[in-house]
Amino acid sequence: MWRFVVLIFVCCVFCATGARADIASAGYVNDIVSALDVQSDWAQTDSNARDFIRNKPEIPSPDAVEYIDNKVLEISDSVTDNQYPSARAVNNALSTKADVNDVRFNTVPTSQPVGMPPAGQVFIWFN
């Protein structure tokens, strides 16, 4: 019986000391957190520095040459989704569109219009 009690006592003493862990103080944890609190620097070039931003996108310089392989100079039905128009092509395409105040967008008047209709147009009105 004594052997059994001694065995249990020895097991408890060794197991209890092995299960104990040191608990960090609040000050120690705050010091570590403060050391990790670093503002990232976009201009940092040293990849080993703590404020270096990894995987940041490359921004082309203002002097970079425009990639024009997909640029089209005229907007047409043959232009694909991967192509984009030049500013001149957009301006030319918009110049062929009717303005909002174009006579083709007039409403039907209730009285007879004055003058002659434009070439290729007719006046329609309700009397």
Side-chain angles (χ1 to χ4, degrees), residues 2 14-15 18-19 21 28 32 48 55 58 68 94 103:
W2 284 103
F14 286 114
C15 293
Y28 177 76
I32 296 216
N48 294 323
N55 300 325
E58 289 186 34
I68 60 171
L94 289 175
V103 71

Side-chain angles (χ1 to χ4, degrees), residues 6-111:
V6 170
L7 180 63
I8 291 176
F9 176 74
V10 171
C11 287
C12 289
V13 169
F14 286 114
C15 293
T17 58
R20 248 186 302 157
D22 292 331
I23 298 175
S25 68
Y28 177 76
V29 171
N30 288 337
D31 289 343
I32 296 216
V33 169
S34 296
L36 296 174
D37 188 24
V38 174
Q39 176 65 41
S40 299
D41 183 6
W42 191 264
Q44 178 61 265
T45 57
D46 180 9
S47 62
N48 294 323
R50 289 188 26 228
D51 59 350
F52 179 75
I53 301 172
R54 287 164 176 53
N55 300 325
K56 60 185 167 187
E58 289 186 34
I59 299 175
S61 70
D63 300 329
V65 178
E66 179 185 6
Y67 179 73
I68 60 171
D69 286 350
N70 289 342
K71 188 182 218 177
V72 294
L73 303 177
E74 184 177 313
I75 297 176
S76 66
D77 292 337
S78 63
V79 175
T80 67
D81 289 339
N82 295 330
Q83 295 173 314
Y84 66 98
S86 67
R88 184 176 306 276
V90 171
N91 187 34
N92 290 342
L94 289 175
S95 68
T96 64
K97 302 296 179 195
D99 291 331
V100 174
N101 59 359
D102 191 287
V103 71
R104 293 175 283 181
F105 298 120
N106 284 345
T107 58
V108 177
T110 58
S111 60

Side-chain angles (χ1 to χ4, degrees), residues 103 113-125:
V103 71
V114 178
M116 296 296 294
Q121 303 286 321
V122 296
F123 282 145
I124 299 174
W125 69 94

